[in-house]
Amino acid sequence: MTRGRQGDGTRGSLEHLTGVVRELTGRDGAPGRRRAGLDGWRVQDWHAALLDVPLDERAYADRFQVTREREIELLWDWWTERADAAVPGGPGGTSGASGVEPRTAGYLGYYLLTLVAMHSSDRMRFHGDAPWDVVVAGRPAADVSGALVGDPDVRRALAALHDPGRADGTGAGSGSGPADAASAGTLSEWAALDLTSLEFYRPGTTSIILTGRLAQPSRGRTAAFVLKCVIHPYLTIPTIVAGTRGYLAEHGRPDADEPSPAVPVWASHDSWILMDLVRGRTMGEYLARRAAGQAPPTREILRPVDTPALRELGGALLSALADLERDGRRHDDLTPSNIIVQDEQPGRIRLRFVDLGVNHLHARSITGQGQGEGVFAAPEVRRDGVGHPLADLYSLGALLVAIAGIPHNPDGTVPDQFYVASVGLARLLEDLTDADPRRRLLVTPVDPGAPRFEQIGRVFGDEVAILEQDGRERPRNAWQQLRDLSPGAGTVARQRRMLQVRTGQVRDATGAAHLRQARRLQRWALLFAVLVWSATALVVTWWSRDLGLSWQAKWFEMADEVFGRSGAGLVFLDDVRAADYPIPDPWGNLPVRLVTLTFALVSARLYLNVFAELSTVWALPAGRGARLRAVTAEVGLRSLAVLPVVYVVLPTLVQRDWWPLGTLVGHVTFAVVVQACLWFAWDTNARARAAGLSSVPRGEIATLGRLAAWQPTVAVYLLPIIGIGTLLSLGLVQDELVYASFVSLINLGIFYPKSAGTDAPYIRAGMNRAALAAERLEHLRRTRE
């Protein structure tokens, strides 16, 4: 820190400055008693004192025995009282009851502006507050900052402290003289500014951002500008000073032929950057306005993915990054506050980038943990404090999560909502946000020799198109909600639409593999739908025969004709019926009808709503044990498309007394499949953690916990099923209808609404996460060979 001249211990001292502030605000027991020397401070004295302001709130409180927030409140009260009591006086300013000269008041106002800016920075970085949500002294921090910058004395102090041509021998932030601190171009750019037009624009993480106008129109230059002034205490960090000083040379690109998404830079000096004023909202403001008024979801996992925003804003982001890449540049600090959204015309959005280069405050956060806008910074940037070639990939993935309207996970993993809405989009996000930059784009088919973001944009567009055909993430009206309660929930139709889109998207071997997988799952879903609805129709038809209803489906008659059977009833199917199985017998057959019908409905909802789009063999593992687990789980999942129909058809057609056995075998089959899925998922997640894949959470995975909770539930119901079913089979219990009613109530009251309903998105999320982890592990193995 630069102190005042030798022999004058009061000059340039932060202690002296805060002592005066204590007196002005009445905290020193002698309000109004003016402390000598402050009015005589030169620019370099104020500069030295401001450099000495502690960087964090705790250090400020420890040093001055008052919190920074309380200091702001007291100083703002003094400032407003001064303004209210102001009378004309002094050269170009005002003086009031405080007895502080206008020039000194301007510097004190700048000191208050510095404290407000640092408080806003901390709230945004460490607490995730939006700039417009930060409050100081009972008012929005932006309003306080705006009022301060609007004061002419504060503007003069700001201009003096940041003047690159200052003749006091200090130079803004560098301690060097003007001859070697600023080029002639920098001096001329500063001289062309109308500093009396400065207005507060928005806070930055290390700066206050101002707008203003040129003193004289300039050919080829916009009349309005943005001036980003680094907060003085951060000028003690050499990397920030060097990055600010060299910003024009690093990111200016004045000779670029093609329009760039990066906002044009005019000049840069140790403590400021001068650039075009680009009209628009930051992406943070844009997303906050889009989210305003939206009702919170009934359950967080059902929070809808904002597909239109992904299409418009996500597409524009990838297009801008592709343009930046073609220009041979990268950003390294791709956060919502550094992206300007311009609505050029309805349906068309253009994004502009500001503040290219590493934000060195990210490295001051806890290693590996993103806070506030730090969640968008790549882990290697937060760790090393320097730019990395693949850092923008991570930031892109984190931005796409925010654009989709989904809150970020604290551990940096992809949120569960994406595994529910779109496996393909979840795969891409995993591939962008892997904590290890070497594992980014591990699965996504990207040619390293071609422009990266252009290829990612095509993959992203494909996945958004698939998501648009899904429809489950859209707001639901009453009719759609009712349809969602149906056994099929529109799964087959949805898969058909998605398959049609996927068919037209195949460009490479990976895409062909995904198409084959989607086609296979769709065929199984269609097969199951045909089988289960046929079985359900069979149960309803047999029930109608018990009730004496005479309607008969044409296909029954056709079957009799094909096999040459004739006679009363459904002869071809009645041939297989046991001799002691009478039809009609309404009361005697009621137990088998109740159980088989409810079992068919639950099976339909379980498979179509939960399992139809799950697969454990996206990429078969090479290891024998891992491959066995994946294949076993896959066979189990697909068996649920066939076996439940068998358990319904056999008691209905052959022997009504088999329904207790069918119930038992059906529950056991279900328990075995669930255990096979858990066996696969637990092993895969363990291997992924051992391999260091960041896509798998380190702690317990709550979504898999939902699947694991099915096991004790099934076990609890298996005990009475086994016991009572055995007694019924032995003829020791006669209350068959009571038992059947109990089983049916379990089916419709628990398994249908909960296991196949409310638990469905959790199961899909947990299993899809494990399946994608298995795929990443296999690709990782191949890259090592």
Side-chain angles (χ1 to χ4, degrees):
M1 181 190 74
T2 304
R3 293 287 184 181
R5 289 184 179 179
Q6 232 175 345
D8 188 353
T10 63
R11 287 198 168 181
S13 164
L14 181 59
E15 280 73 13
H16 184 58
L17 173 59
T18 54
V20 173
V21 170
R22 283 197 300 270
E23 293 174 2
L24 292 175
T25 58
R27 289 193 293 115
D28 210 23
R33 181 172 62 84
R34 182 169 153 197
R35 192 159 179 165
L38 200 62
D39 289 337
W41 273 18
R42 295 159 301 178
V43 177
Q44 61 264 40
D45 298 318
W46 286 100
H47 177 71
L50 290 167
L51 286 177
D52 199 23
V53 175
L55 286 172
D56 62 85
E57 187 169 4
R58 175 61 64 85
Y60 192 97
D62 290 344
R63 183 169 174 181
F64 301 114
Q65 300 303 299
V66 63
T67 65
R68 188 171 59 200
E69 194 169 2
R70 178 61 176 162
E71 187 84 286
I72 292 170
E73 181 180 347
L74 294 169
L75 197 51
W76 175 250
D77 288 343
W78 167 81
W79 180 268
T80 53
E81 288 173 6
R82 168 189 170 275
D84 291 341
V87 294
T94 60
S95 63
S98 66
V100 174
E101 292 182 1
R103 176 180 177 276
T104 302
Y107 282 103
L108 285 169
Y110 185 81
Y111 171 60
L112 174 56
L113 181 64
T114 299
L115 297 182
V116 172
M118 297 183 72
H119 178 72
S120 299
S121 175
D122 283 357
R123 293 301 307 180
M124 291 186 292
R125 287 195 295 132
F126 299 126
H127 301 279
D129 289 359
W132 52 90
D133 289 334
V134 180
V135 174
V136 293
R139 299 183 58 181
D143 290 353
V144 173
S145 300
L148 291 169
V149 176
D151 185 274
D153 295 320
V154 175
R155 282 200 296 262
R156 278 189 283 272
L158 185 152
L161 286 164
H162 290 277
D163 185 356
R166 224 172 46 228
D168 55 30
T170 63
S174 66
S176 59
D180 56 10
S183 66
T186 300
L187 292 172
S188 64
E189 292 284 4
W190 181 266
L193 307 181
D194 177 7
L195 297 175
T196 66
S197 69
L198 291 179
E199 297 178 357
F200 180 76
Y201 191 41
R202 59 170 59 101
T205 53
T206 61
S207 62
I208 53 172
I209 303 173
L210 311 170
T211 60
R213 299 183 304 275
L214 289 173
Q216 295 291 333
S218 177
R219 180 178 300 176
R221 178 69 55 79
T222 61
F225 62 80
V226 164
L227 181 64
K228 176 186 173 183
C229 294
V230 178
I231 306 168
H232 261 69
Y234 289 118
L235 293 174
T236 60
I237 301 177
T239 51
I240 291 180
V241 175
T244 306
R245 182 194 305 124
Y247 192 86
L248 175 65
E250 180 71 19
H251 304 292
R253 291 295 177 85
D255 300 326
D257 296 329
E258 297 295 328
S260 171
V263 173
V265 181
W266 302 0
S268 62
H269 189 52
D270 293 21
S271 68
W272 53 262
I273 299 171
L274 184 65
M275 66 189 80
D276 271 1
L277 171 60
V278 175
R279 299 294 181 183
R281 292 168 285 174
T282 67
M283 181 179 283
E285 294 168 336
Y286 186 93
L287 293 176
R289 182 170 298 185
R290 190 177 182 95
Q294 292 185 1
T298 55
R299 289 180 291 158
E300 186 59 35
I301 200 167
L302 296 181
R303 183 182 292 274
V305 172
D306 193 340
T307 309
L310 286 173
R311 169 66 70 187
E312 298 169 5
L313 199 57
L317 175 60
L318 275 154
S319 177
L321 284 170
D323 290 341
L324 192 70
E325 184 181 33
R326 277 191 289 270
D327 200 23
R329 292 193 274 178
R330 63 175 192 261
H331 197 294
D332 282 328
D333 188 23
L334 205 58
T335 64
S337 63
N338 288 339
I339 302 173
I340 306 298
V341 181
Q342 296 180 297
D343 296 305
E344 294 189 334
Q345 59 188 35
R348 183 178 178 185
I349 291 176
R350 186 187 182 194
L351 302 186
R352 306 295 300 277
F353 298 139
V354 297
D355 286 353
L356 278 69
V358 172
N359 182 338
H360 295 280
L361 291 191
H362 291 321
R364 296 171 61 88
S365 300
I366 300 173
T367 302
Q369 181 180 1
Q371 298 169 311
E373 287 213 331
V375 301
F376 300 97
E380 64 270 22
V381 172
R382 296 199 300 268
R383 181 187 65 243
D384 302 334
V386 297
H388 285 263
L390 301 178
D392 285 351
L393 292 176
Y394 185 95
S395 299
L396 168 63
L399 282 167
L400 291 177
V401 171
I403 290 170
I406 306 299
H408 289 90
N409 283 345
D411 61 358
T413 56
V414 176
D416 290 327
Q417 292 89 338
F418 292 98
Y419 297 94
V420 177
S422 170
V423 178
L425 188 56
R427 176 189 289 110
L428 176 60
L429 292 175
E430 282 187 357
D431 226 17
L432 293 172
T433 59
D434 198 302
D436 187 341
R438 296 168 300 177
R439 296 175 181 175
R440 291 175 200 154
L441 300 183
L442 180 67
V443 176
T444 305
V446 170
D447 179 2
R452 185 181 293 127
F453 287 105
E454 185 176 338
Q455 298 177 77
I456 297 172
R458 288 195 294 267
V459 175
F460 172 75
D462 289 348
E463 298 305 335
V464 172
I466 293 292
L467 186 58
E468 287 171 335
Q469 297 301 319
D470 185 300
R472 281 180 299 196
E473 81 291 346
R474 299 171 191 158
R476 319 300 283 169
N477 57 34
W479 168 248
Q480 289 168 326
Q481 290 175 351
L482 183 62
R483 186 185 179 189
D484 289 343
L485 295 175
S486 68
T491 299
V492 175
R494 181 174 62 252
Q495 284 188 325
R496 182 176 64 251
R497 294 193 305 269
M498 296 165 69
L499 185 60
Q500 289 172 347
V501 174
R502 186 70 79 185
T503 301
Q505 294 176 346
V506 177
R507 300 187 184 92
D508 49 45
T510 303
H514 292 162
L515 175 61
R516 289 194 299 271
Q517 187 81 300
R519 188 173 288 149
R520 182 177 64 85
L521 292 177
Q522 198 269 345
R523 287 170 178 168
W524 275 103
L526 181 60
L527 172 65
F528 174 76
V530 171
L531 291 176
V532 77
W533 289 123
S534 298
T536 304
L538 191 68
V539 173
V540 173
T541 301
W542 260 237
W543 207 334
S544 70
R545 296 177 69 193
D546 282 327
L547 296 176
L549 301 177
S550 59
W551 67 273
Q552 181 173 320
K554 287 292 184 183
W555 70 272
F556 288 125
E557 297 177 2
M558 293 174 59
D560 285 343
E561 291 180 5
V562 168
F563 290 93
R565 307 297 294 164
S566 61
L570 306 175
V571 181
F572 170 68
L573 294 177
D574 284 340
D575 284 347
V576 300
R577 194 170 78 242
D580 58 347
Y581 179 180
I583 293 181
D585 183 7
W587 284 107
N589 292 333
L590 184 56
V592 69
R593 303 289 180 255
L594 282 174
V595 172
T596 52
L597 180 62
T598 57
F599 189 83
L601 294 176
V602 169
S603 299
R605 187 160 171 79
L606 270 172
Y607 187 80
L608 294 176
N609 200 37
V610 182
F611 301 123
E613 295 169 36
L614 296 182
S615 177
T616 58
V617 291
W618 290 104
L620 276 174
R624 183 176 301 176
R627 180 182 289 261
L628 176 62
R629 288 178 173 88
V631 172
T632 301
E634 184 71 15
V635 171
L637 288 172
R638 303 290 78 86
S639 73
L640 293 180
V642 177
L643 293 181
V645 176
V646 175
Y647 306 146
V648 170
V649 170
L650 287 180
T652 301
L653 285 182
V654 181
Q655 175 54 269
R656 69 181 183 182
D657 294 335
W658 288 353
W659 71 262
L661 179 62
T663 300
L664 171 61
V665 175
H667 279 76
V668 170
T669 300
F670 180 63
V672 170
V673 172
V674 169
Q675 186 57 49
C677 290
L678 289 171
W679 190 37
F680 160 78
W682 286 335
D683 173 73
T684 300
N685 290 337
R687 290 189 297 115
R689 292 186 183 108
L693 289 186
S694 62
S695 57
V696 176
R698 290 295 166 188
E700 181 181 354
I701 301 177
T703 50
L704 278 182
R706 289 292 186 107
L707 183 60
W710 284 6
Q711 292 294 66
T713 302
V714 173
V716 167
Y717 293 122
L718 272 177
L719 292 177
I721 287 172
I722 293 172
I724 300 176
T726 302
L727 294 176
L728 284 173
S729 301
L730 297 175
L732 300 177
V733 174
Q734 303 300 320
D735 295 329
E736 190 178 49
L737 182 57
V738 173
Y739 174 54
S741 300
F742 167 73
V743 172
S744 300
L745 285 174
I746 291 174
N747 287 338
L748 294 183
I750 296 178
F751 289 120
Y752 191 92
K754 185 181 184 299
S755 300
T758 56
D759 282 354
Y762 298 95
I763 308 308
R764 291 202 302 270
M767 287 300 299
N768 280 332
R769 189 187 291 274
L772 292 185
E775 183 183 26
R776 291 187 71 74
L777 284 169
E778 181 59 18
H779 279 77
L780 185 61
R781 182 192 63 81
R782 293 172 186 170
T783 60
R784 290 173 174 173
E785 289 181 349

